[in-house]
Amino acid sequence: MVELGNAVKNVNVGDRVVVPFTISCGGCFFCNRDLWSLCDNSNPNAWLVEKQMGHSPAGLFGYSHLFGGYAGGQAEYARVPFADVGLFKIPDGLTDEQVLFLTDVFPTGYMAAENCNIKPGDIVAVWGCGPVGQFAIRSAYMLGAERVIAFDRVPERLQMAKEYGKAEVLNYEEVDIGEALKEMTGGRGPDACIDAVGMEAHGTDFMAMYDQVKQAVRLETDRPTALRQVIVSCRKGGHVSIPGVYGGFIDKVPMGAAMNKGLTMKMGQTHVHKYLKPLLEHIQNGDIDPTFIITHSLPLEQAPHGYEIFKHKKDNCIKVVLKP
């Protein structure tokens, strides 16, 4: 912290803090119910998103003008609204890298796993082995899963999920996901399925090509390949968790399967404030070291290079940390 407003009493100049990507006032109906990403007061452009979604979620750092137009946090300095609520002081003894992911991907992966209502002995399947998927895998085991099966097509992501997450991994370009899951679960299907991919999913089947064509002519905004597979693959009476972001309208979603199989579906932007303290305790207790996710550490002025290698999957890049 380098400067504080008069209303901020919970931290001091010089403190190390983490800031949730969700912006929350701390006093509205939703914040008082631990639904921090649904805050009523932090999105100054609520009227824009209400036209599309009916109601506005919270403002979010770096999430377009629909969600408040707040600049992202990859900068030398960042201004934090509602800082008396959204700043969390970091105790001594932990490195910056150990706590950095408390701002977003660690709580997102944990909430994704928590939404699965995991019971001892459960089998959890995770679509996508990017940073959120990696933390969803680790969190599923922390919450009591017996097995985690994970899918991706990027070799280094699959290797990380296998080595650090102890997941059983499959390349979706090499196997039929639905058939593989039936075989690996005795025909029943996973107890819970997590879509950690979202709106920009890739696929190899006809429906994936269908999405690309419809998106190209602006008849569909998102590509829900992973979501379709999650719904169809989950066992009867199972849980579907969706941390992967969807932004608009999607087509050919098998709602008949979801309804008739009695699936429970939970989704949403992460209630980061709810999870910061308990996950910080997990780090302090040695239950998890979030730095396993870091593959590259670069100075801030090399941010364009970091974006380049991440976007194009170069140099085995999975997660880049930028330092001032």
Side-chain angles (χ1 to χ4, degrees):
M1 292 304 308
V2 296
E3 187 176 343
L4 295 173
N6 294 332
V8 182
K9 308 297 184 183
N10 56 325
V11 294
N12 299 304
V13 171
D15 286 344
R16 286 193 308 155
V17 298
V18 293
V19 183
F21 81 96
T22 49
I23 303 170
S24 309
C25 74
C28 70
F29 175 93
F30 297 99
C31 289
N32 286 331
R33 285 161 178 77
D34 262 351
L35 301 173
W36 300 88
S37 69
L38 304 177
C39 175
D40 260 343
N41 296 320
S42 60
N43 185 359
N45 297 331
W47 65 276
L48 285 173
V49 73
E50 285 170 358
K51 291 181 179 295
Q52 177 181 335
M53 301 181 185
H55 301 275
S56 173
L60 306 173
F61 284 108
Y63 254 81
S64 82
H65 288 285
L66 283 177
F67 294 87
Y70 296 102
Q74 295 182 13
E76 187 176 1
Y77 296 99
R79 179 178 177 272
V80 181
F82 300 105
D84 55 329
V85 175
L87 296 179
F88 288 79
K89 184 177 178 180
I90 298 304
D92 295 334
L94 296 173
T95 67
D96 292 347
E97 288 80 6
Q98 283 180 293
V99 298
L100 174 61
F101 304 120
L102 289 172
T103 63
D104 185 352
V105 289
F106 187 10
T108 298
Y110 189 89
M111 179 172 138
E114 186 180 76
N115 283 345
C116 291
N117 192 33
I118 295 171
K119 300 290 192 301
D122 275 359
I123 301 173
V124 179
V126 179
W127 273 251
C129 295
V132 169
Q134 299 288 344
F135 280 115
I137 292 167
R138 297 290 298 271
S139 298
Y141 278 125
M142 289 169 63
L143 291 169
E146 181 174 314
R147 296 170 61 195
V148 178
I149 306 168
F151 311 104
D152 208 295
R153 63 173 181 169
V154 181
E156 53 268 26
R157 289 181 173 185
L158 292 169
Q159 181 59 32
M160 179 177 283
K162 181 179 180 180
E163 181 178 351
Y164 291 98
K166 309 304 179 185
E168 302 166 52
V169 299
L170 294 172
N171 186 326
Y172 67 79
E173 291 186 333
E174 299 175 355
V175 299
D176 181 289
I177 295 298
E179 291 303 314
L181 281 174
K182 286 180 180 179
E183 183 176 342
M184 298 173 76
T185 61
R188 188 172 62 196
D191 300 286
C193 295
I194 297 174
D195 173 4
V197 180
M199 63 190 292
E200 297 180 330
H202 294 274
T204 59
D205 60 4
F206 170 79
M207 291 304 297
M209 293 185 284
Y210 167 90
D211 288 329
Q212 289 181 330
V213 171
K214 288 203 70 174
Q215 194 176 52
V217 296
R218 302 194 178 188
L219 293 177
E220 187 176 26
T221 59
D222 306 357
R223 302 192 300 267
T225 298
L227 180 60
R228 295 189 190 106
Q229 293 179 357
V230 162
I231 291 173
V232 173
S233 300
C234 193
R235 73 158 169 83
K236 294 181 289 186
H239 288 74
V240 168
S241 173
I242 311 173
V245 173
Y246 288 89
F249 302 93
I250 54 180
D251 198 1
K252 301 294 188 293
V253 175
M255 286 305 298
M259 185 272 171
N260 287 287
K261 292 202 300 182
L263 301 182
T264 297
M265 303 177 70
K266 295 193 73 173
M267 63 201 80
Q269 298 286 357
T270 309
H271 307 305
V272 179
H273 300 62
K274 174 182 177 180
Y275 297 103
L276 272 171
K277 291 182 179 179
L279 293 184
L280 180 61
E281 291 179 2
H282 278 298
I283 296 171
Q284 290 175 307
N285 293 337
D287 301 327
I288 185 172
D289 181 359
T291 62
F292 80 91
I293 203 77
I294 300 172
T295 56
H296 293 71
S297 182
L298 301 173
L300 191 59
E301 57 267 23
Q302 291 185 23
H305 173 65
Y307 279 114
E308 176 72 12
I309 61 175
F310 177 80
K311 177 180 179 181
H312 296 289
K313 309 296 185 292
K314 296 179 180 179
D315 195 26
N316 296 326
C317 180
I318 295 178
K319 190 66 173 179
V320 181
V321 171
L322 300 175
K323 294 184 175 182

